[in-house]
Amino acid sequence: MKHTVVMTGVSRGIGRVAAEHILRRSPDVHLLVVARGSSGTQLAAELATCGDTVSYVAADLGSLDSVRSAAAEIRDRLDHGDLPPLRGFVGNAGMQYTNALTEGPDGFESTFTVNVLANHLFVRLLQGHFAAPARIVITASDTHFGDFKHNMGMVPGPAWKSPDVLARTGAFPKPDTTVAGRTAYSTSKLAAIYLVHEYARRLPAGIDAVAYNPGFVPGTDLARDAGPVSRFAMRRILPMMTLTPFATSRNAAGRYLADVVLGTTQAPTGSYVDRSRVDRSSEESYDARREGELWEAAERFTAA
């Protein structure tokens, strides 16, 4: 039966690969891509080259008002029958800045806005339009473990604080540095897992929520705001690590993400999928008190 999957972070990297796999393997999917400005027109056309059904909605994930407008458009199209039933949301877009001082138009730190609040707002505004069985997939990161085994010392571990602190600029020491920016990133990915656990508790039966970890994937544009040396290393040197067990190629990570979205990788609601299998996330990521506090804060932050 034809159904809709809404997906962010499709224009490049593992999201682009995942979208191609989803369309190739599931002809019943109407893929609705969320893209900035008019770029969605070209993106949808490129993905629909084999006759697949692809459309787009414009949104800047760094602006909560823009996310609200995009969600309202999606709901309107569903209500009027312009889209088949909604059975999936994939929050794959992610951002990592070179500092912890970048502030978006809503007054929140931009890493937290894109990686946490934008996904939460989409989930909550689309919640009443999901047709069971439905699956929400949020791309997390094993940087949330904060140990050498998972990040090889390249990204500092998360430094959890009150959500009211994390949502604002300057939450970490030396906020103008790359270290602070990367700490904001790993902390935001811990927050994403916390919210997945809350979705599993709070969303109606038949709407599953899963966190997906692609592993370390060099060669993507995640570090596009980094300095020239870091960008060169990510694009030209570190991709060679995909020949070892310490990294995942973009193609493999995209395929694994498609497996989670399509249900090929079976994962109960609230679970953490490490590439191709369900696994435990960090011990720190199982904290019901923090999860509840973050849920309440995210509800406050995203209230219209």
Side-chain angles (χ1 to χ4, degrees), residues 131-189:
R135 173 168 279 196
I136 295 163
V137 180
I138 306 297
T139 298
S141 168
D142 52 9
T143 59
H144 85 276
F145 280 89
D147 57 18
F148 187 85
K149 175 183 176 181
H150 290 90
N151 61 33
M152 294 170 286
M154 291 186 290
V155 179
W160 192 258
K161 303 175 186 293
S162 162
D164 287 279
V165 174
L166 294 175
R168 305 296 177 176
T169 58
F172 307 104
K174 299 181 180 179
D176 59 332
T177 65
T178 300
V179 170
R182 290 176 177 171
T183 303
Y185 176 80
S186 61
T187 306
S188 74
K189 292 303 183 178

Tab-separated table of all heavy atoms in Angstrom, residues 131-189:
chain	number	residue	atom	x	y	z
A	131	ALA	N	-0.071	6.896	10.494
A	131	ALA	CA	-0.951	5.742	10.338
A	131	ALA	C	-0.166	4.496	10.735
A	131	ALA	O	0.835	4.165	10.106
A	131	ALA	CB	-1.451	5.629	8.897
A	132	ALA	N	-0.606	3.830	11.776
A	132	ALA	CA	0.106	2.632	12.249
A	132	ALA	C	-0.022	1.500	11.219
A	132	ALA	O	-1.044	1.382	10.541
A	132	ALA	CB	-0.469	2.192	13.587
A	133	PRO	N	1.040	0.684	11.102
A	133	PRO	CA	2.308	0.780	11.826
A	133	PRO	C	3.209	1.854	11.215
A	133	PRO	O	3.324	1.970	10.004
A	133	PRO	CB	2.915	-0.618	11.634
A	133	PRO	CG	2.375	-1.074	10.308
A	133	PRO	CD	0.990	-0.501	10.206
A	134	ALA	N	3.817	2.631	12.075
A	134	ALA	CA	4.689	3.714	11.629
A	134	ALA	C	5.991	3.652	12.416
A	134	ALA	O	6.044	3.121	13.523
A	134	ALA	CB	4.015	5.068	11.847
A	135	ARG	N	7.039	4.216	11.827
A	135	ARG	CA	8.347	4.187	12.483
A	135	ARG	C	9.021	5.545	12.371
A	135	ARG	O	9.110	6.130	11.280
A	135	ARG	CB	9.234	3.105	11.866
A	135	ARG	CG	10.664	3.102	12.374
A	135	ARG	CD	11.441	1.870	11.972
A	135	ARG	NE	11.143	0.739	12.855
A	135	ARG	CZ	11.895	-0.361	12.922
A	135	ARG	NH1	12.975	-0.489	12.164
A	135	ARG	NH2	11.568	-1.337	13.744
A	136	ILE	N	9.486	6.034	13.504
A	136	ILE	CA	10.298	7.246	13.578
A	136	ILE	C	11.742	6.812	13.797
A	136	ILE	O	12.027	6.024	14.702
A	136	ILE	CB	9.831	8.131	14.750
A	136	ILE	CG1	8.410	8.642	14.500
A	136	ILE	CG2	10.797	9.287	14.986
A	136	ILE	CD1	7.726	9.177	15.745
A	137	VAL	N	12.649	7.310	12.972
A	137	VAL	CA	14.064	6.977	13.091
A	137	VAL	C	14.852	8.275	13.255
A	137	VAL	O	14.740	9.172	12.418
A	137	VAL	CB	14.580	6.204	11.855
A	137	VAL	CG1	16.063	5.873	12.027
A	137	VAL	CG2	13.763	4.941	11.625
A	138	ILE	N	15.596	8.370	14.317
A	138	ILE	CA	16.433	9.542	14.579
A	138	ILE	C	17.895	9.117	14.505
A	138	ILE	O	18.314	8.188	15.206
A	138	ILE	CB	16.149	10.142	15.972
A	138	ILE	CG1	14.649	10.445	16.136
A	138	ILE	CG2	16.999	11.386	16.182
A	138	ILE	CD1	14.109	11.485	15.189
A	139	THR	N	18.670	9.782	13.666
A	139	THR	CA	20.082	9.446	13.542
A	139	THR	C	20.847	9.974	14.752
A	139	THR	O	20.860	11.185	15.025
A	139	THR	CB	20.686	10.016	12.249
A	139	THR	OG1	20.007	9.429	11.130
A	139	THR	CG2	22.170	9.689	12.150
A	140	ALA	N	21.453	9.061	15.485
A	140	ALA	CA	22.243	9.408	16.669
A	140	ALA	C	23.730	9.314	16.301
A	140	ALA	O	24.107	9.460	15.141
A	140	ALA	CB	21.889	8.464	17.816
A	141	SER	N	24.569	9.058	17.277
A	141	SER	CA	26.007	8.952	17.035
A	141	SER	C	26.667	8.253	18.205
A	141	SER	O	26.287	8.476	19.360
A	141	SER	CB	26.626	10.345	16.859
A	141	SER	OG	28.043	10.284	16.896
A	142	ASP	N	27.671	7.416	17.907
A	142	ASP	CA	28.357	6.767	19.024
A	142	ASP	C	29.327	7.713	19.723
A	142	ASP	O	29.970	7.332	20.699
A	142	ASP	CB	29.048	5.465	18.608
A	142	ASP	CG	29.964	5.604	17.403
A	142	ASP	OD1	30.202	6.756	16.974
A	142	ASP	OD2	30.417	4.579	16.890
A	143	THR	N	29.394	8.968	19.280
A	143	THR	CA	30.157	9.951	20.053
A	143	THR	C	29.539	10.152	21.434
A	143	THR	O	30.207	10.654	22.343
A	143	THR	CB	30.232	11.309	19.337
A	143	THR	OG1	28.901	11.802	19.130
A	143	THR	CG2	30.932	11.187	17.991
A	144	HIS	N	28.273	9.756	21.604
A	144	HIS	CA	27.620	9.952	22.900
A	144	HIS	C	28.220	9.043	23.974
A	144	HIS	O	27.991	9.271	25.163
A	144	HIS	CB	26.105	9.702	22.786
A	144	HIS	CG	25.719	8.267	22.923
A	144	HIS	ND1	25.754	7.385	21.861
A	144	HIS	CD2	25.321	7.539	23.999
A	144	HIS	CE1	25.378	6.186	22.283
A	144	HIS	NE2	25.097	6.245	23.570
A	145	PHE	N	29.002	8.016	23.571
A	145	PHE	CA	29.672	7.180	24.570
A	145	PHE	C	30.785	7.951	25.277
A	145	PHE	O	31.067	7.727	26.453
A	145	PHE	CB	30.278	5.941	23.911
A	145	PHE	CG	29.293	4.830	23.646
A	145	PHE	CD1	28.593	4.779	22.456
A	145	PHE	CD2	29.080	3.834	24.586
A	145	PHE	CE1	27.690	3.752	22.189
A	145	PHE	CE2	28.176	2.808	24.350
A	145	PHE	CZ	27.471	2.769	23.146
A	146	GLY	N	31.461	8.808	24.526
A	146	GLY	CA	32.501	9.632	25.131
A	146	GLY	C	33.781	8.906	25.461
A	146	GLY	O	34.561	9.393	26.288
A	147	ASP	N	34.030	7.742	24.853
A	147	ASP	CA	35.267	7.018	25.150
A	147	ASP	C	36.087	6.807	23.877
A	147	ASP	O	35.603	6.984	22.762
A	147	ASP	CB	34.971	5.672	25.827
A	147	ASP	CG	34.051	4.779	24.999
A	147	ASP	OD1	33.911	5.016	23.776
A	147	ASP	OD2	33.454	3.842	25.571
A	148	PHE	N	37.344	6.419	24.069
A	148	PHE	CA	38.258	6.269	22.936
A	148	PHE	C	37.795	5.169	21.990
A	148	PHE	O	37.950	5.273	20.772
A	148	PHE	CB	39.669	5.964	23.436
A	148	PHE	CG	40.698	5.965	22.335
A	148	PHE	CD1	41.287	7.155	21.930
A	148	PHE	CD2	41.065	4.790	21.702
A	148	PHE	CE1	42.225	7.166	20.899
A	148	PHE	CE2	42.006	4.790	20.681
A	148	PHE	CZ	42.592	5.991	20.271
A	149	LYS	N	37.213	4.124	22.523
A	149	LYS	CA	36.758	3.008	21.692
A	149	LYS	C	35.778	3.467	20.621
A	149	LYS	O	35.800	2.973	19.492
A	149	LYS	CB	36.095	1.949	22.578
A	149	LYS	CG	35.466	0.797	21.798
A	149	LYS	CD	34.763	-0.173	22.734
A	149	LYS	CE	34.043	-1.270	21.949
A	149	LYS	NZ	33.325	-2.201	22.858
A	150	HIS	N	34.928	4.425	20.956
A	150	HIS	CA	33.876	4.827	20.030
A	150	HIS	C	34.218	6.068	19.211
A	150	HIS	O	33.592	6.291	18.165
A	150	HIS	CB	32.576	5.061	20.791
A	150	HIS	CG	31.966	3.808	21.328
A	150	HIS	ND1	32.262	3.311	22.583
A	150	HIS	CD2	31.093	2.938	20.772
A	150	HIS	CE1	31.577	2.197	22.774
A	150	HIS	NE2	30.868	1.953	21.706
A	151	ASN	N	35.134	6.901	19.673
A	151	ASN	CA	35.424	8.103	18.882
A	151	ASN	C	36.908	8.350	18.653
A	151	ASN	O	37.269	9.357	18.061
A	151	ASN	CB	34.775	9.331	19.520
A	151	ASN	CG	35.287	9.617	20.918
A	151	ASN	OD1	36.455	9.377	21.233
A	151	ASN	ND2	34.425	10.134	21.779
A	152	MET	N	37.735	7.430	19.133
A	152	MET	CA	39.182	7.493	18.899
A	152	MET	C	39.783	8.839	19.290
A	152	MET	O	40.747	9.311	18.694
A	152	MET	CB	39.509	7.153	17.443
A	152	MET	CG	39.188	5.722	17.081
A	152	MET	SD	39.288	5.372	15.310
A	152	MET	CE	37.794	6.188	14.743
A	153	GLY	N	39.172	9.484	20.267
A	153	GLY	CA	39.700	10.743	20.767
A	153	GLY	C	39.436	11.945	19.890
A	153	GLY	O	39.897	13.045	20.193
A	154	MET	N	38.674	11.764	18.820
A	154	MET	CA	38.461	12.872	17.889
A	154	MET	C	37.346	13.808	18.332
A	154	MET	O	37.308	14.968	17.926
A	154	MET	CB	38.155	12.334	16.486
A	154	MET	CG	39.341	11.656	15.830
A	154	MET	SD	39.025	11.172	14.122
A	154	MET	CE	37.869	9.837	14.362
A	155	VAL	N	36.409	13.308	19.118
A	155	VAL	CA	35.275	14.120	19.565
A	155	VAL	C	35.149	13.978	21.078
A	155	VAL	O	35.084	12.859	21.591
A	155	VAL	CB	33.958	13.676	18.887
A	155	VAL	CG1	32.789	14.528	19.389
A	155	VAL	CG2	34.071	13.777	17.370
A	156	PRO	N	35.106	15.082	21.809
A	156	PRO	CA	34.920	14.973	23.265
A	156	PRO	C	33.578	14.320	23.578
A	156	PRO	O	32.621	14.429	22.808
A	156	PRO	CB	34.938	16.439	23.734
A	156	PRO	CG	35.533	17.209	22.609
A	156	PRO	CD	35.202	16.466	21.358
A	157	GLY	N	33.506	13.660	24.717
A	157	GLY	CA	32.254	13.060	25.130
A	157	GLY	C	31.241	14.109	25.535
A	157	GLY	O	31.555	15.295	25.689
A	158	PRO	N	29.993	13.692	25.729
A	158	PRO	CA	28.957	14.637	26.132
A	158	PRO	C	29.217	15.182	27.527
A	158	PRO	O	29.841	14.532	28.367
A	158	PRO	CB	27.674	13.795	26.090
A	158	PRO	CG	28.138	12.380	26.254
A	158	PRO	CD	29.484	12.313	25.587
A	159	ALA	N	28.739	16.394	27.756
A	159	ALA	CA	28.846	17.024	29.071
A	159	ALA	C	27.451	17.497	29.450
A	159	ALA	O	27.065	18.632	29.162
A	159	ALA	CB	29.838	18.191	29.035
A	160	TRP	N	26.677	16.594	30.038
A	160	TRP	CA	25.262	16.882	30.271
A	160	TRP	C	25.071	17.979	31.312
A	160	TRP	O	25.758	18.030	32.320
A	160	TRP	CB	24.524	15.624	30.707
A	160	TRP	CG	23.035	15.838	30.673
A	160	TRP	CD1	22.206	16.086	31.728
A	160	TRP	CD2	22.220	15.890	29.496
A	160	TRP	NE1	20.927	16.276	31.285
A	160	TRP	CE2	20.904	16.167	29.922
A	160	TRP	CE3	22.488	15.729	28.134
A	160	TRP	CZ2	19.841	16.275	29.028
A	160	TRP	CZ3	21.435	15.838	27.240
A	160	TRP	CH2	20.131	16.117	27.683
A	161	LYS	N	24.116	18.852	31.036
A	161	LYS	CA	23.721	19.919	31.943
A	161	LYS	C	22.202	20.037	31.868
A	161	LYS	O	21.544	19.320	31.110
A	161	LYS	CB	24.370	21.245	31.535
A	161	LYS	CG	25.893	21.213	31.470
A	161	LYS	CD	26.444	22.532	30.933
A	161	LYS	CE	27.965	22.462	30.729
A	161	LYS	NZ	28.696	22.338	31.982
A	162	SER	N	21.657	20.918	32.623
A	162	SER	CA	20.229	21.191	32.521
A	162	SER	C	19.881	21.545	31.070
A	162	SER	O	20.621	22.286	30.408
A	162	SER	CB	19.859	22.361	33.426
A	162	SER	OG	18.618	22.912	33.051
A	163	PRO	N	18.760	21.035	30.543
A	163	PRO	CA	18.372	21.397	29.172
A	163	PRO	C	18.266	22.898	28.958
A	163	PRO	O	18.522	23.381	27.851
A	163	PRO	CB	17.006	20.708	29.015
A	163	PRO	CG	17.062	19.536	29.943
A	163	PRO	CD	17.852	20.018	31.120
A	164	ASP	N	17.905	23.638	30.000
A	164	ASP	CA	17.820	25.094	29.852
A	164	ASP	C	19.189	25.709	29.603
A	164	ASP	O	19.292	26.767	28.978
A	164	ASP	CB	17.189	25.711	31.098
A	164	ASP	CG	15.704	25.435	31.182
A	164	ASP	OD1	14.944	26.153	30.525
A	164	ASP	OD2	15.310	24.481	31.882
A	165	VAL	N	20.246	25.054	30.069
A	165	VAL	CA	21.612	25.510	29.798
A	165	VAL	C	22.065	25.031	28.426
A	165	VAL	O	22.617	25.793	27.625
A	165	VAL	CB	22.587	25.012	30.891
A	165	VAL	CG1	24.028	25.360	30.535
A	165	VAL	CG2	22.209	25.608	32.241
A	166	LEU	N	21.828	23.760	28.140
A	166	LEU	CA	22.279	23.181	26.875
A	166	LEU	C	21.656	23.866	25.659
A	166	LEU	O	22.263	23.933	24.592
A	166	LEU	CB	21.936	21.691	26.830
A	166	LEU	CG	22.660	20.784	27.820
A	166	LEU	CD1	22.112	19.369	27.731
A	166	LEU	CD2	24.165	20.787	27.566
A	167	ALA	N	20.449	24.364	25.817
A	167	ALA	CA	19.737	24.969	24.692
A	167	ALA	C	20.267	26.354	24.340
A	167	ALA	O	19.923	26.885	23.279
A	167	ALA	CB	18.248	25.056	25.005
A	168	ARG	N	21.119	26.915	25.194
A	168	ARG	CA	21.615	28.272	24.960
A	168	ARG	C	23.094	28.253	24.588
A	168	ARG	O	23.804	27.288	24.856
A	168	ARG	CB	21.411	29.133	26.219
A	168	ARG	CG	19.983	29.157	26.719
A	168	ARG	CD	19.012	29.788	25.731
A	168	ARG	NE	17.626	29.731	26.225
A	168	ARG	CZ	16.581	30.270	25.603
A	168	ARG	NH1	16.764	30.923	24.456
A	168	ARG	NH2	15.363	30.169	26.111
A	169	THR	N	23.546	29.313	23.993
A	169	THR	CA	24.956	29.411	23.622
A	169	THR	C	25.822	29.490	24.878
A	169	THR	O	25.365	29.902	25.949
A	169	THR	CB	25.208	30.643	22.747
A	169	THR	OG1	24.788	31.810	23.459
A	169	THR	CG2	24.443	30.543	21.434
A	170	GLY	N	27.087	29.095	24.737
A	170	GLY	CA	28.035	29.206	25.832
A	170	GLY	C	27.864	28.170	26.915
A	170	GLY	O	28.287	28.392	28.056
A	171	ALA	N	27.282	27.019	26.590
A	171	ALA	CA	27.008	26.000	27.613
A	171	ALA	C	28.264	25.266	28.073
A	171	ALA	O	28.256	24.626	29.126
A	171	ALA	CB	25.994	24.984	27.083
A	172	PHE	N	29.349	25.350	27.300
A	172	PHE	CA	30.544	24.566	27.602
A	172	PHE	C	31.758	25.476	27.760
A	172	PHE	O	31.777	26.598	27.237
A	172	PHE	CB	30.790	23.546	26.476
A	172	PHE	CG	29.579	22.701	26.191
A	172	PHE	CD1	28.793	22.940	25.076
A	172	PHE	CD2	29.213	21.675	27.053
A	172	PHE	CE1	27.663	22.179	24.822
A	172	PHE	CE2	28.094	20.903	26.816
A	172	PHE	CZ	27.313	21.156	25.691
A	173	PRO	N	32.799	25.010	28.474
A	173	PRO	CA	33.995	25.834	28.662
A	173	PRO	C	34.622	26.242	27.331
A	173	PRO	O	34.546	25.500	26.338
A	173	PRO	CB	34.927	24.915	29.452
A	173	PRO	CG	34.017	23.955	30.153
A	173	PRO	CD	32.872	23.734	29.211
A	174	LYS	N	35.199	27.425	27.302
A	174	LYS	CA	35.828	27.971	26.097
A	174	LYS	C	34.890	27.817	24.895
A	174	LYS	O	35.201	27.137	23.918
A	174	LYS	CB	37.173	27.287	25.828
A	174	LYS	CG	38.177	27.478	26.949
A	174	LYS	CD	39.506	26.809	26.632
A	174	LYS	CE	40.509	27.023	27.770
A	174	LYS	NZ	41.808	26.357	27.504
A	175	PRO	N	33.718	28.434	24.957
A	175	PRO	CA	32.676	28.196	23.948
A	175	PRO	C	33.026	28.635	22.541
A	175	PRO	O	32.337	28.250	21.594
A	175	PRO	CB	31.490	29.002	24.496
A	175	PRO	CG	32.106	30.051	25.357
A	175	PRO	CD	33.299	29.404	25.981
A	176	ASP	N	34.085	29.423	22.397
A	176	ASP	CA	34.475	29.869	21.062
A	176	ASP	C	35.387	28.877	20.360
A	176	ASP	O	35.856	29.142	19.250
A	176	ASP	CB	35.172	31.231	21.147
A	176	ASP	CG	36.420	31.199	22.031
A	176	ASP	OD1	36.478	30.363	22.965
A	176	ASP	OD2	37.337	32.015	21.782
A	177	THR	N	35.635	27.708	20.950
A	177	THR	CA	36.584	26.749	20.386
A	177	THR	C	35.890	25.579	19.698
A	177	THR	O	34.712	25.277	19.945
A	177	THR	CB	37.500	26.181	21.486
A	177	THR	OG1	36.699	25.421	22.416
A	177	THR	CG2	38.215	27.303	22.225
A	178	THR	N	36.673	24.886	18.863
A	178	THR	CA	36.171	23.694	18.186
A	178	THR	C	35.821	22.601	19.186
A	178	THR	O	34.860	21.847	18.983
A	178	THR	CB	37.220	23.178	17.186
A	178	THR	OG1	37.480	24.191	16.213
A	178	THR	CG2	36.738	21.924	16.467
A	179	VAL	N	36.593	22.502	20.268
A	179	VAL	CA	36.304	21.493	21.294
A	179	VAL	C	34.901	21.698	21.851
A	179	VAL	O	34.133	20.738	22.034
A	179	VAL	CB	37.360	21.547	22.418
A	179	VAL	CG1	36.928	20.670	23.592
A	179	VAL	CG2	38.717	21.084	21.898
A	180	ALA	N	34.546	22.951	22.117
A	180	ALA	CA	33.206	23.233	22.634
A	180	ALA	C	32.142	22.879	21.600
A	180	ALA	O	31.083	22.332	21.941
A	180	ALA	CB	33.089	24.701	23.029
A	181	GLY	N	32.408	23.178	20.335
A	181	GLY	CA	31.458	22.833	19.280
A	181	GLY	C	31.246	21.340	19.171
A	181	GLY	O	30.113	20.868	18.991
A	182	ARG	N	32.317	20.587	19.292
A	182	ARG	CA	32.200	19.132	19.203
A	182	ARG	C	31.536	18.555	20.456
A	182	ARG	O	30.819	17.560	20.377
A	182	ARG	CB	33.581	18.516	18.985
A	182	ARG	CG	34.136	18.816	17.602
A	182	ARG	CD	35.548	18.303	17.410
A	182	ARG	NE	36.003	18.556	16.042
A	182	ARG	CZ	37.245	18.382	15.625
A	182	ARG	NH1	38.176	17.954	16.471
A	182	ARG	NH2	37.577	18.632	14.372
A	183	THR	N	31.775	19.182	21.589
A	183	THR	CA	31.084	18.755	22.810
A	183	THR	C	29.584	18.997	22.677
A	183	THR	O	28.765	18.166	23.098
A	183	THR	CB	31.634	19.496	24.041
A	183	THR	OG1	33.041	19.282	24.144
A	183	THR	CG2	30.959	19.013	25.316
A	184	ALA	N	29.226	20.118	22.088
A	184	ALA	CA	27.805	20.400	21.843
A	184	ALA	C	27.204	19.321	20.941
A	184	ALA	O	26.049	18.906	21.145
A	184	ALA	CB	27.646	21.779	21.208
A	185	TYR	N	27.983	18.867	19.981
A	185	TYR	CA	27.492	17.829	19.057
A	185	TYR	C	27.255	16.510	19.788
A	185	TYR	O	26.168	15.924	19.692
A	185	TYR	CB	28.498	17.629	17.926
A	185	TYR	CG	28.123	16.511	16.982
A	185	TYR	CD1	27.179	16.711	15.991
A	185	TYR	CD2	28.716	15.249	17.080
A	185	TYR	CE1	26.823	15.686	15.123
A	185	TYR	CE2	28.361	14.230	16.227
A	185	TYR	CZ	27.419	14.449	15.250
A	185	TYR	OH	27.061	13.423	14.400
A	186	SER	N	28.258	16.019	20.514
A	186	SER	CA	28.097	14.734	21.192
A	186	SER	C	26.989	14.798	22.242
A	186	SER	O	26.235	13.835	22.436
A	186	SER	CB	29.416	14.283	21.826
A	186	SER	OG	29.874	15.198	22.804
A	187	THR	N	26.865	15.945	22.898
A	187	THR	CA	25.810	16.102	23.897
A	187	THR	C	24.437	16.108	23.241
A	187	THR	O	23.469	15.538	23.768
A	187	THR	CB	26.025	17.387	24.713
A	187	THR	OG1	27.346	17.385	25.275
A	187	THR	CG2	25.007	17.502	25.831
A	188	SER	N	24.341	16.723	22.070
A	188	SER	CA	23.054	16.743	21.362
A	188	SER	C	22.651	15.339	20.933
A	188	SER	O	21.447	15.017	20.894
A	188	SER	CB	23.127	17.670	20.142
A	188	SER	OG	23.871	17.089	19.073
A	189	LYS	N	23.612	14.490	20.625
A	189	LYS	CA	23.289	13.128	20.215
A	189	LYS	C	22.858	12.279	21.417
A	189	LYS	O	22.024	11.372	21.274
A	189	LYS	CB	24.482	12.500	19.503
A	189	LYS	CG	24.783	13.145	18.147
A	189	LYS	CD	23.584	13.086	17.226
A	189	LYS	CE	23.870	13.642	15.847
A	189	LYS	NZ	22.702	13.530	14.933
